[in-house]
């Protein structure tokens, strides 16, 4: 990404310095084509870090979600339950498959899928008959905050519906000491430019089932059957990560724990500096089981305590060349998804109306952080 030196970004790439060593190896061995030693090593590192047996490095997080749905047999007319409070890439692959998303609202504590609404949706479908059960549940861990995985897994298991974790924002987060990305039957990671680590663009599919990851790799490389000629018995995709980009990923994984710590420090700093302003609140880790990578620090402004809006704060930050964003606009409010059914409780709409994402890069300087806090404080004087 071409960066404007003075501008403070929400989340910009932060290289470790070792990336070029792995890229150079790829060049020295002329291993530029997809696949190769960097891909294999990156996959092993990811699987080990996330506490799963297998990983397939892919071209994006979106492609990982798409392949997970294909592997679970999601097809035309099927339903897939998915968090409404998320980025569109959690949902688009459902529609690629001709299936129908059913949106589930958030609970207040983590801002992620409400296990009670999830249960309502599953119960209603079960009452209509086994044929109406959804094929999968996509759980998103927003801004790195773990969803209430104990309750969600219990409900999902009771109704026998597999979980796909969208852990695109949550590499390095844990619930109950178990890494996010290891809770679902399959999980998706993203290494897009703004995520906690980046390969400029990329993603991965995680699973403990060898066959799923083997099948994903097969589909991701154009579904080429074993034969001397090009032989195909399934529709394939071109979704693999290149050996050059996987070199960036290897360099990034060497510093993942530092990156998590740096982002957590941003959160602690913002909270310590701003909590004296009574109308501001933060996305909290409800208890010791929740460990967020703090991909983005997000903040709510209570309209009953202040007339200052998130848009006004954003505009003020923008004047100082500082990027900020509203929270994700819920999917059930998006024109493209409006016609699908949704289980709502008002939480995601309320959060969307009050929230703002603050610059949260692991390379954010202390002076930038202090400036951001000063600008925000000025808004409330
Ligand atoms: C970034 C993101 C994705 C998509 O990842 P890409 O690598 O950009 O395709 C999916 N879900 C969520 C929640 C994300 O934030």
């Amino acid at each position: 990404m071409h960066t404007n030196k003075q501008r403070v970004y929400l989340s910009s790439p932060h290289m470790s310095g070792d990336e070029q060593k792995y890229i150079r190896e790829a060049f020295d061995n002329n291993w530029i084509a997809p696949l190769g030693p960097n891909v294999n090593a990156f996959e092993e590192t990811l699987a080990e870090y996330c506490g799963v047996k297998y990983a397939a490095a892919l071209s994006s997080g979106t492609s990982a979600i798409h392949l997970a749905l294909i592997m679970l047999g999601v097809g035309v007319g099927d339903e897939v339950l998915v968090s409404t409070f998320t980025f569109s890439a959690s949902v688009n692959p459902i529609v690629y498959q001709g299936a129908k998303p059913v949106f589930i609202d958030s609970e207040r504590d983590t801002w992620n899928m409400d296990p009670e609404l999830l249960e309502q949706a599953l119960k209603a479908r079960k009452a209509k008959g086994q044929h109406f059960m959804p094929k999968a549940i996509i759980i998103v861990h927003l801004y790195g905050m773990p969803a209430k995985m104990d309750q969600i897994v219990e409900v999902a298991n009771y109704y026998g519906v597999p979980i796909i974790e969208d852990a695109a924002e949550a590499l390095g987060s844990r619930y109950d000491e178990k890494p996010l990305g290891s809770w679902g039957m399959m999980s998706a990671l993203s290494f897009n430019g703004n995520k906690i680590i980046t390969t400029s663009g990329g993603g991965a599919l995680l699973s403990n089932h060898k066959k799923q990851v083997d099948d994903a790799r097969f589909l991701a490389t154009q579904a080429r059957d074993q034969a001397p000629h090009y032989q195909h018995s399934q529709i394939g995709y071109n979704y693999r990560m290149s050996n050059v980009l996987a070199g960036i990923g290897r360099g990034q994984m060497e510093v993942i724990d530092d990156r998590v710590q740096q982002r957590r420090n941003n959160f602690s700093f913002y909270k310590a500096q701003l909590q004296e302003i009574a109308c501001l609140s933060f996305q909290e880790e409800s208890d010791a089981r929740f460990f967020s990578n703090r991909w983005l620090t997000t903040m709510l402004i209570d309209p009953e305590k202040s007339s200052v809006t998130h848009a006004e704060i954003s505009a003020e930050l923008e004047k100082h060349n500082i990027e900020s964003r509203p929270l994700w606009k819920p999917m059930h409010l998006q024109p493209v998804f409006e016609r699908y059914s949704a289980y709502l409780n008002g939480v995601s709409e309320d959060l969307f109306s009050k929230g703002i994402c603050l610059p949260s890069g692991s390379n954010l300087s202390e002076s930038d952080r202090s400036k951001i806090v000063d600008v925000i404080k000025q808004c409330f004087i």
Side-chain angles (χ1 to χ4, degrees):
M1 143 182 180
H2 175 74
T3 49
N4 168 344
K5 275 253 153 51
Q6 270 90 54
R7 185 157 173 80
V8 178
Y9 290 94
L10 210 54
S11 177
S12 70
H14 186 188
M15 295 296 111
S16 72
D18 274 347
E19 290 84 1
Q20 287 185 343
K21 180 181 83 187
Y22 297 113
I23 294 174
R24 198 172 319 114
E25 274 176 30
F27 275 72
D28 289 348
N29 300 315
N30 200 29
W31 220 316
I32 310 299
L35 312 189
N38 280 336
V39 171
N40 299 339
F42 185 42
E43 289 179 341
E44 276 169 34
T45 310
L46 286 172
E48 195 191 329
Y49 186 78
C50 294
V52 296
K53 291 201 184 124
Y54 310 100
L58 301 170
S59 54
S60 67
T62 311
S63 60
I65 297 169
H66 190 195
L67 291 176
L69 292 169
I70 294 170
M71 238 91 60
L72 291 175
V74 173
V76 175
D78 289 332
E79 283 187 334
V80 174
L81 309 188
V82 60
S83 312
T84 190
F85 201 28
T86 186
F87 174 53
S88 63
S90 308
V91 184
N92 286 332
I94 301 171
V95 181
Y96 299 164
Q97 287 305 100
K100 294 179 286 188
V102 176
F103 297 113
I104 312 286
D105 216 328
S106 303
E107 33 80 10
R108 285 266 163 211
D109 298 333
T110 73
W111 305 5
N112 292 311
M113 189 185 282
D114 183 340
E116 285 173 22
L117 287 182
L118 172 65
E119 169 134 48
Q120 268 184 36
L122 288 167
K123 202 173 186 174
R125 280 155 182 77
K126 180 135 186 151
K128 287 204 278 177
Q130 197 57 34
H131 176 69
F132 292 92
M133 288 309 277
K135 283 276 172 65
I137 303 165
I138 300 180
I139 302 285
V140 185
H141 308 289
L142 220 58
Y143 306 118
M145 180 62 70
K148 293 184 172 172
M149 290 313 288
D150 54 346
Q151 295 177 43
I152 284 173
V153 166
E154 195 186 320
V155 174
N157 285 350
Y158 179 81
Y159 288 93
V161 182
I163 291 175
I164 298 169
E165 265 183 285
D166 178 349
E169 301 177 2
L171 179 64
S173 299
R174 305 190 290 270
Y175 181 77
D176 218 358
E177 293 306 318
K178 195 168 140 51
L180 300 189
S182 69
W183 286 83
M185 173 173 270
M186 280 175 272
S187 304
L189 300 175
S190 167
F191 314 114
N192 191 25
N194 61 357
K195 296 289 157 62
I196 191 154
I197 64 162
T198 182
T199 58
S200 78
L205 183 79
L206 308 177
S207 169
N208 281 320
H209 304 278
K210 185 164 189 306
K211 187 170 181 322
Q212 281 174 346
V213 176
D214 286 346
D215 288 355
R217 290 198 184 106
F218 170 79
L219 292 175
T221 37
Q222 309 284 25
R224 296 207 296 256
D225 295 341
Q226 294 278 352
H229 52 274
Y230 280 90
Q231 171 89 11
H232 306 275
S233 35
Q234 283 180 74
I235 294 295
Y237 302 86
N238 186 0
Y239 276 176
R240 274 298 239 166
M241 180 180 280
S242 90
N243 195 51
V244 176
L245 298 190
I248 305 179
R250 289 180 77 182
Q252 292 271 281
M253 281 305 284
E254 289 178 356
V255 292
I256 176 70
D257 286 328
D258 297 337
R259 299 302 186 246
V260 171
Q261 194 52 54
Q262 285 151 339
R263 294 207 184 228
R264 287 181 62 85
N265 292 347
N266 288 335
F267 175 84
S268 309
F269 178 83
Y270 284 127
K271 193 181 156 190
Q273 297 290 316
L274 295 169
Q275 65 185 357
E276 67 197 42
I277 303 173
C279 63
L280 297 182
S281 64
F282 294 83
Q283 189 187 22
E284 300 287 353
E285 292 167 331
S286 306
D287 61 54
R289 289 172 301 175
F290 295 86
F291 180 88
S292 169
N293 68 4
R294 295 296 183 191
W295 172 55
L296 295 185
T297 292
T298 55
M299 180 175 92
L300 302 178
I301 304 123
D302 184 346
E304 287 174 10
K305 293 184 183 155
S306 170
S307 58
V308 177
T309 65
H310 67 77
E312 284 161 5
I313 296 177
S314 262
E316 210 46 46
L317 289 168
E318 194 55 50
K319 278 188 205 155
H320 294 82
N321 209 6
I322 297 165
E323 184 184 20
S324 64
R325 287 269 172 85
L327 303 187
W328 295 123
K329 180 173 180 177
M331 292 301 116
H332 68 272
L333 299 179
Q334 301 287 353
V336 70
F337 297 130
E338 209 164 58
R339 63 203 166 92
Y340 296 108
S341 48
Y343 284 74
L344 303 174
N345 56 15
V347 172
S348 62
E349 289 185 29
D350 184 60
L351 294 168
F352 172 60
S353 74
K354 294 177 182 167
I356 180 172
C357 304
L358 300 176
S360 304
S362 46
N363 48 5
L364 191 64
S365 71
E366 283 186 34
S367 64
D368 284 339
R369 251 174 19 188
S370 300
K371 187 167 139 198
I372 293 162
V373 161
D374 288 343
V375 173
I376 295 172
K377 283 182 175 166
Q378 283 299 321
C379 296
F380 291 94
I381 287 171

